[in-house]
Structure formats: structure tokens, C-alpha cells
Amino acid sequence: GGNPDWSGFWLPDFSRFEKTDKGRGSRMKRACAKKAFEWIRDNMAIGLGGGEAVAFLIEELAKSKKRVTAVSPSGDTLELCKKSGIPTVPLSCAGSLELAFDGCDTLDRKLNALKSRGGIHTREKLVAAMAKEYILLADESKLTESLTFCVPVAVEALRPAKTFVTKQLEAMGAAVYLRKGSGKAGCVRSDDGNDLLDAVFPEKTDPEELSGRLDGIAGIVGHSLFCKIADGAIVAKADGTVEVIRRERRGTRRQGR
């Protein structure tokens, strides 16, 4: 437990948390994509997040004769869809989706997840809320019994609220860093112009309690802790098999920040 050593951390270097070599990881992500492809029917409206597994899924769709329309919170994914001949609808024009697929940094068997790398978590949660089913794609190295906060929680804050939100997060025991990008002067902003903060919490933190507390802080637009949001996950294993995890009780999904 305890906080990892993030002294002097400014540029988010998530590579330090990778547990799988890139070649094997890519093979497993491709297996995830192939399984996800099986769930997609002709003429579906689907959500596509970001990451390598989603890129492989787009590749599968492009090779097939399935006709779909895609909505995505990711500019890179939208560009890849266009290059692959997959029609897209702007997020601002979408209302409901049959299915949505997305990657994650880490997840547990209760389908709590952290999605911190891209800094587009607020838009990703919007896509998740639109979808009848929101499915995470991961390889087995990212799956734990209980969620481990091995990556920071990315917090999108209104620019005037940056200092207030930082102090609130620090009072909760987090080490907080303003995200900066390589080659950029100043901090990284979200696609909607808000500040991005990386909050490092102890690895053993209760995800449901933390999510509720973050949702209650004025000035936070969204955060990268996905608690009770996903309906399922496709997890690829090194032996070539794929495990499907489903939420035990769907009920009403959480619609927090």
C-alpha cells in the first residue's frame, strides 16, 4: 500500500505501470477486439473510446461487411474511423447507443475501473451513459480482485476552481499534480478547456467511497474513476483465451462525474 514515489511528477508517465510486454499486450488486445466484434450487429450505433484495443476493433469492422455508425469521445478514434470508412456522428448530436467499447488502465472484478491516461474521461462517461451496454476491454495484467490505485485519478476541474479543488483533494490525502504535456508550455487542458489534475491516492482506497466524495466537490467537472458504470468487460489472457465479466446486478448505473 501507500503512495508510489511521484516526487517531481509533472508529465504523466504511465509506462512505469505497464505489466505486460508490448508484443504480448498487443496480441491480447487484438483478442479483445475480435470478441467485441462478435457482439456488434449490422446497422448498430456504437460508442468507441480510445486505445489500442479499440483501434484493433475498428480494424475488424473495416475488414467486415457490418455497417455501423460510430460515436467517440476521442479525436484519434474519430480520425481512425474516417480513414477506415466507418461513418461517425458528433458526440453533441448523439442521444443513445446500443453498445460502447472502451479501454482502461486498470479494473477489478466488480467492474470498477480507472481511465486516466487520455484525459477524456468526462466525455467517455457521457458515451457510457448513452449506451445500453458499456463494455471495457483489457488484458489480464490490468485485472485485479479489488481495484488498485496504481495510476493517479485524473480530475478535470473548471479553471477558476483549480486551487480550491487541489486543496480539497490534498485534504483527502492525495498528492496533486497539474498535468503538463511534452513540448507544451503550461498545463494540459481537456478538450473542453478545463484544467487536468492528477491526484495520487493510496493504492488501497475504497473506489465507491472515493467516487462519491469526488462527485461532491464543487468545481470538478469529471474524474477518471469509473465506479458502477461498466456493464461488462472482455479480458484477454496470455494463453489465448478470453474471459467475459458481467455485472451481477445491472439495476440503475451510476451517473456520477
Side-chain angles (χ1 to χ4, degrees), residues 48-255:
L48 296 173
E52 191 175 18
V54 170
F56 286 139
L57 177 53
I58 292 170
E59 185 179 310
E60 292 295 321
L61 287 166
K63 291 188 297 185
S64 77
K65 294 181 179 180
K66 290 182 182 178
R67 293 164 295 179
V68 299
T69 302
V71 171
S72 180
S74 165
D76 290 342
T77 296
L78 286 172
E79 186 63 29
L80 188 55
C81 283
K82 290 173 184 176
K83 288 181 179 177
S84 302
I86 297 171
T88 61
V89 172
L91 191 56
S92 60
C93 298
S96 64
L97 302 166
E98 289 292 317
L99 272 173
F101 297 97
D102 210 344
C104 61
D105 297 317
T106 183
L107 78 159
D108 66 18
R109 289 194 170 276
K110 293 182 180 178
L111 299 174
N112 299 310
L114 282 167
K115 294 175 47 54
S116 302
R117 297 183 191 226
I120 58 172
H121 43 270
T122 303
R123 292 188 178 200
E124 288 172 327
K125 284 183 177 178
L126 177 58
V127 170
M130 291 178 184
K132 292 179 182 177
E133 284 196 287
Y134 178 66
I135 308 297
L136 296 173
L137 307 177
D139 67 62
E140 64 179 354
S141 72
K142 296 182 177 182
L143 178 65
T144 56
E145 286 298 322
S146 298
L147 192 67
T148 301
F149 286 73
C150 57
V151 297
V153 178
V155 176
E156 182 176 353
L158 293 172
R159 291 168 69 178
K162 178 182 67 176
T163 300
F164 172 76
V165 169
T166 297
K167 290 185 178 298
Q168 293 294 307
L169 295 171
E170 289 174 342
M172 292 166 61
V176 184
Y177 303 87
L178 187 63
R179 186 176 293 196
K180 291 189 175 182
S182 177
K184 292 186 178 181
C187 65
V188 172
R189 301 204 191 281
S190 72
D191 290 344
D192 296 298
N194 298 309
D195 285 331
L196 287 173
L197 306 171
D198 285 307
V200 184
F201 288 94
E203 288 195 7
K204 300 299 182 183
T205 296
D206 183 271
E208 190 167 354
E209 179 185 353
L210 178 58
S211 183
R213 293 181 70 182
L214 293 173
D215 288 346
I217 297 176
I220 289 182
V221 179
H223 57 81
S224 65
L225 175 54
F226 283 54
C227 184
K228 294 187 175 180
I229 289 177
D231 297 296
I234 298 173
V235 181
K237 300 185 177 183
D239 63 5
T241 62
V242 173
E243 179 182 4
V244 175
I245 303 172
R246 291 282 193 177
R247 182 174 297 287
E248 291 181 10
R249 290 184 178 180
R250 287 203 57 192
T252 302
R253 283 188 304 185
R254 187 186 185 103
Q255 303 239 340

